[in-house]
Amino acid sequence: MSSQITLNVDAILFDMDGTLVDSTAGVEGAWHLFRESYPTIDVHDILSSSHGVRTVDNLRNHCGIQDPEILQKEAERFEKAILTTSSEGGRPGIVLLPGVHSIMDELAPARFLPKPRWTICTSATQDYASAALSRANIPIPDVFVCSEHVSKGKPFPDPYLLGAEKAGVKPENCVVFEDAPNGVRSGVAAGCKVIALLTTHSREQLEAAKPDYIVKDLSSVSVRCTETGVVLTLKTE
C-alpha cells in the first residue's frame, strides 16, 4: 500500500549507477569481455551480486587479482569497457533513469560549495563516473565522492560519511538514495535516512538491508530547494 511522505533534510546524497543512470548494458558487456582474460568467472553470478560494489573490490573478489598495481590497471580497463560496450550490438548505452531529469532541473543550481544541497557518492572511479554523467547530461556536483576517495567502499559507511563531511552537513540530517543492498547498508551505517529504489533489485533484497523507505524510482520523488536545505515528497511502495 502506497503512502506519501514529506522529509526536510540539509542535503541529498545520491548513488550513481542504478539510481541516476542505468549502465547495465555496459557492465554486462564489460564482464563478458573480461571473461576472455579470466575464463573461470561466472558472469551471471557476478551480475547478481556485484552491484554497488567498487570495481577494484569486484575484481579482487571475482577475478582473484591481489597485486594493487595490476588491480588498479584492470579496474581502469573494466570501466573503460563499460563505456565502450554500452552501445555496442544494439545496446542502449548509459541512460538517464526515470524522474532524474525533473529532479536535476530543481537541484542542478544548488550543486556548488560552500552549501551544496546534493552530492554524488559512487563506487565508480572518478574518470568513469565523470564520463557516465556527461553521457547522461547530469552536472557534476562540487561534492563528488568516488571509489579512490575512500579506503573502504560500500557497504562500509565511508563514502556517505565523506559526502556529508564535504558538504558541511551532519549525516543524520541527510537522505541517501540507493538502488543496491550494499549501498543501502552503507547509508544506514553512516546514520543517514535511506530511500531505496526498486530499479535493480527486488523488494525482498532491499528490505533485508533495512532502508527507511522504498520507492519505485525517482519518478516517485519530488524535491524543492529551500534556503536551509531540501524538502522531499515521496510516494512509497
Side-chain angles (χ1 to χ4, degrees):
M1 184 175 179
S2 64
S3 62
Q4 187 165 295
I5 306 290
T6 299
L7 300 173
N8 291 274
V9 299
D10 291 343
I12 300 173
L13 313 180
F14 288 105
D15 171 51
M16 187 183 75
D17 277 316
T19 298
L20 298 174
V21 301
D22 182 359
S23 63
T24 303
V27 173
E28 291 179 355
W31 278 117
H32 284 291
L33 178 67
F34 262 55
R35 191 169 59 183
E36 297 174 8
S37 302
Y38 305 94
T40 61
I41 64 174
D42 183 332
V43 174
H44 178 76
D45 176 63
I46 291 171
L47 291 172
S48 68
S49 63
S50 65
H51 196 77
V53 178
R54 296 188 303 175
T55 300
V56 289
D57 295 328
N58 276 325
L59 293 176
R60 184 186 296 111
N61 294 336
H62 297 289
C63 299
I65 307 169
Q66 300 300 324
D67 182 277
E69 186 174 340
I70 296 174
L71 194 61
Q72 189 58 41
K73 287 181 179 179
E74 286 294 78
E76 291 171 3
R77 182 168 77 94
F78 185 92
E79 293 189 346
K80 286 179 181 177
I82 297 176
L83 295 170
T84 57
T85 64
S86 64
S87 301
E88 290 179 355
R91 294 189 179 110
I94 294 172
V95 297
L96 209 61
L97 282 163
V100 177
H101 187 273
S102 61
I103 285 177
M104 284 298 147
D105 280 348
E106 174 68 12
L107 291 181
R111 67 185 184 274
F112 304 108
L113 289 167
K115 293 184 178 181
R117 298 288 183 263
W118 62 286
T119 76
I120 293 176
C121 303
T122 176
S123 295
T125 63
Q126 186 164 342
D127 283 350
Y128 163 71
S130 299
L133 291 170
S134 176
R135 290 193 182 196
N137 293 315
I138 295 176
I140 296 174
D142 278 1
V143 180
F144 188 31
V145 177
C146 301
S147 67
E148 58 264 55
H149 301 147
V150 294
S151 59
K152 293 189 292 188
K154 304 170 188 178
F156 293 98
D158 303 42
Y160 288 116
L161 289 175
L162 183 58
E165 179 187 343
K166 284 181 173 291
V169 295
K170 296 179 180 179
E172 58 266 30
N173 295 336
C174 296
V175 66
V176 164
F177 280 102
E178 266 286 355
D179 69 300
N182 279 318
V184 171
R185 292 185 181 97
S186 175
V188 170
C192 305
K193 296 180 184 70
V194 181
I195 301 169
L197 310 178
L198 290 165
T199 50
T200 61
H201 290 76
S202 69
R203 170 179 287 277
E204 291 73 22
Q205 289 173 310
L206 291 173
E207 285 178 343
K210 303 187 184 312
D212 294 279
Y213 306 101
I214 297 178
V215 300
K216 179 183 177 183
D217 52 40
L218 287 176
S219 67
S220 299
V221 179
S222 64
V223 301
R224 178 172 56 86
C225 289
T226 68
E227 289 186 7
T228 56
V230 186
V231 177
L232 301 94
T233 303
L234 320 174
K235 182 181 178 183
T236 61
E237 294 290 322

